[in-house]
Amino acid sequence: MMEPTSGHHSKFPPPAVSVRELEKVYGRGSASVRALGGVSIDFDAGTFTAVMGQSGSGKSTLLQCAAGLEAPTAGTVTLAGTELAGLSESALTVLRRSRVGFVFQAYNLVSALTVRENILLPTRLGRVRADRQRLAQIAERVGLTNRLRHRPAQLSGGEQQRVAIARALFTNPDVVFCDEPTGALDSTSAARVLDLLRESVDIDAGTVVMVTHDPTAASYADRVVTLADGHIADDLSAPDVGTIADRLARLGARGADGSERCTGPSPA
Amino acid sequence: MTSIAWRLLRQHPARLVATALALVIAAAAVTGCGVMLESGLRYHGAVARYAAAPVLVATTALTVTEGSGEDADTERTPLTDRAPLPASLPDAIAALPGVRAAISDTSVITRAAAGGSVSAVQLHPWSATALTPYTLLDGSAPSRADDLALSRSLADHLGTRIGERVRLYLDQDLRSYTVTGVVAPAAGAGPRDSAGTAFIADRAMTSLSNGKTYVIGVLPDGHVSPAQLANQVRRVVDAPGSPSDGAHPEVITGVRRGSVETMAVDNGREFVIAVSSTFGGCALVIAVLVITGTVGLSTQQRHRDIALLRAIAATPRQVRRLVVWETLAVAMFAGAVGVLPGVVAAGWLRDQFVDRGIIPVDFETCISWLPPVVAVGCGVVIAVVTAWSASLRPSRVRPSQAMTETTVERRIGPVRALLGLIALAGGLLLAVVSASATGDTAAGVAVGTVFALVTAVALLGSVVIRMGAAVAAPWLRMLGATGRLAAATTSTSAVRLASVLSALVLAVGLGGSLWFVQSSVEHVAREQATAGLLADQVVMGGPAGLASGLTRRLADLEGVRAAVGLDRGTWFTARDGGTSFSVQGIDVDGLDSVVDLDVTAGTLAALKGRSVAVDTLSAEALHAHVGARLHGWFGDGTPAEMRVVAIYRRGLGFASMTVPRDLLAAHAEGGRNDLVLLRLNHADPGARSRLRQQVAAQAPGSLLESRAAFRATLDSEIVQNGWTERTIIAVLLLYVAIAAVNTLVMHTLGRRREFAVLRLAGTTRRQVLRMAALELVLVLGLTLLVGLAIAAVTLVPLVKGTTGTSVPYIPAAGWIAVIGGVVVLGALATAVPACMALRTLPVEAIGVRE
């Protein structure tokens, strides 16, 4: 199939996130860096997608553009049925606040606020009344019911990430973007975090798009998309850890050879 | 948003210490000035001597109108000497219905001696006792020409009783009077004069004062109210139609009667109002600059927090509101804290002014709710505006940009560059214009020029720093790795360093200009007074003055080569809305042997009749040359037209204008600041002792000083006169110094993470400190270069305008203070926080959010 990858499921309902011909260039003139060179992809609702690639492949840039945190140089992004192109910063923020969740690798939480306040932050800034029951539910789901009054400094790295996920899930968003959420965690905490993400897709019918370099983390996903040099190099469906690691290694070897990059899924 | 802002503020209050401190000092300054201003506006002097007369008629002010029609601007200046009233006025008023009596009052200040004691005394006609009122305690009213009634306090001081004789030192000679009665003011009040009060017969007073009346006190018939009475009197007093420029009699009632009793009230009031408005204005202008810097820096240092909020949930508007609310909270707190010190400072200032005789002792500071409210209000407005503009860029930038680990600085934007150039042009323009500023406006103009130029530095600072780093790079690289690091970090943190640079430049620019304008003026004045004084001995009269016959008598003494009398007064010009000039009246005979005014055109020998010699600065201001005619008024409101016969240089050391002594004597209250300058025959050994005897006999209570001692007295007088300016300048300089130190400390503390990265990469603590030191050298070098340039641009035209010399006087101590101060403060403000920042382990520090 040479057409741009679309969802493996039927075209109805519409994808949660859809990007077309997305390009991003940083810097100007001789110092410019082409992070994305025309990427088109749909992320279907109710799926867990992992985006992988070597550093410099453009995966974080893809995530940030898709989430509206970064403005693309060219191309369109449609998020939760809305095109992001013409929106002002304020409108983008309002959209992100209620329909999108974001989990970074580190520095997710405002250190001055308690866990509870951090979780409720998007809601409060959106002037919406916080649902206490939902807060209790989410807190239990992430396993931090007893830590609600503590500050981030009193939590471990894994616990902080779980708070970030709680915050992301609290508003019941259309899609949750995660940028290397388990990068700084040990395997147990990482497993807990990934379980939470998996649950949100399986139980709540949410959508998760996760950038990662860890094949184990990627194995939790329904679909693994690999980027290389700003283009999609690979698109696998429900792979296991071994296949993923294999693909990555091959990509790395090919890159080291200096051979041309792929523009579509490679033959298995 | 408010509660989130409050939580964030509570976590890291230290971040806002710099802003809080700047706001506290600003609030204190504005409160203090506001209290002084309000006290000045409400001050009218005590109504003591004329308490019993509800309506007074006197001439107290000069009105000068410039322009015409809509543009007409009327200036009202208080007179410096008492103005006589038209002779027909008392009778015209007495004839009005409702008027029980219209009593003319005059006074003559002189010295009284009885037994061994001497006292200054103010003489009034006996009929004026009804105006206070004074009642006779003992004895009878004076009826004969040499009768005298003393107030009780004066009688006690002199130790005289009824029937004894008192000597009064009047104009032509010494007269002996008999005490016939003792009076005291009713109701225990009465004037708080330092001179005692005495009354002589009306006829005697008339001949003493040549029939002049200065005040008319109007007493009403029983059933007439003060307002009705005032209206009646106005029909006679006010001229029909619109009054022309000049000093005219006015009807004065109520609280304003206090300014009639002494000229010091209105003049003191004007002084306080002028000083407090200037000081308050300067403080506000500087506060804006300082607080913009501190708020900008603290917002910059939180870019990570702001970026996170933007990424998660906060719209740009919400982020701006967060920063504004935070700064607002600090402003309210700082305002509350700063108000009390401001009030205390106002009280202290009032005491200092009274001690130095600038304002009368009955001036009271009245503290209402208005100045604190205004002070807090100003603080709030400044804080909100600066916070809003500081948060504009961080709130609008894309979250992902802000979230990246390194903050890459951008090149200067076109809008910012344009604004910077406009500010630069404005500052240079102001500097050129300042060449025509007069003494009182000098401080304000200097602050304005420095403000504009420092704003230019704040806007264009990053360019300046990058250029400086580029120029210094080759030399820094020669110093090894630390040098290379220093050059690189300075260049890449140019935007952050721009706030530091502008705070330091403000301190150097302001310190280098304001202080030295003042010192230049004082230096030139002292130089001129020293060089121009040729007299050997000087007799100083003090408040009671010297009799005009004294000069002649001393001139006739054996061994005295020349004796020249010198009086001081004021002259108001008809141009520029009645600006005042200092005038000295001097005897032309023998003038050349006692003073050298450094005449550049014309000759002083031509000073006869209605002629005047003008100093070079005044000649420029009035566009006068030899032969020109000057129109204006003397200090007592009498119009004068004089012909310019000479122009001289030493105006600052002596007076701006010189007239023949008789001309001034007719218009200045005989008394204040009189001097007699003497030149002795050095071949005659007994001349000095003879002189001393004569002076003791003829003018007891006056001072005889040699040239050296008199020069010292003049010096201290000049220094005293400059006290107010110097205090204001010192406070402003302290403010900017504190702000500069604050900014530097904040900047260095914020580099904790940067130092940690360096240390983890292998740099030792020593090397990091060395790098910081090299950066500091670079920044301080730029500071001194730019700051001294600003100071020079501000200083030179201003000094030229106020003293006529193009080279400002900067003593060696001044250079050391400015340059040394910047270096020492800069070093301390960097070294201490750097050491503190280096104390935490690098691994810990690297995880710290800035």
Side-chain angles (χ1 to χ4, degrees), chain B residues 521-559:
Chain B
V521 170
E522 285 179 12
H523 173 78
V524 170
R526 251 187 263 128
E527 225 182 34
Q528 289 181 350
T530 309
L533 187 68
L534 304 172
D536 296 319
Q537 301 281 331
V538 178
V539 180
M540 301 196 299
L546 299 168
S548 60
L550 180 66
T551 313
R552 237 183 320 110
R553 263 172 266 141
L554 290 178
D556 291 338
L557 261 190
E558 200 185 310

Side-chain angles (χ1 to χ4, degrees), chain B residues 34-77:
Chain B
V35 168
M36 283 304 280
L37 185 63
E38 194 185 352
S39 310
L41 288 170
R42 285 179 192 278
Y43 172 64
H44 291 284
V47 182
R49 192 180 290 285
Y50 301 121
V55 174
L56 297 175
V57 179
T59 307
T60 53
L62 186 70
T63 31
V64 182
T65 313
E66 264 192 295
S68 57
E70 293 235 322
D71 286 339
D73 183 31
T74 308
E75 285 275 336
R76 206 188 130 87
T77 327

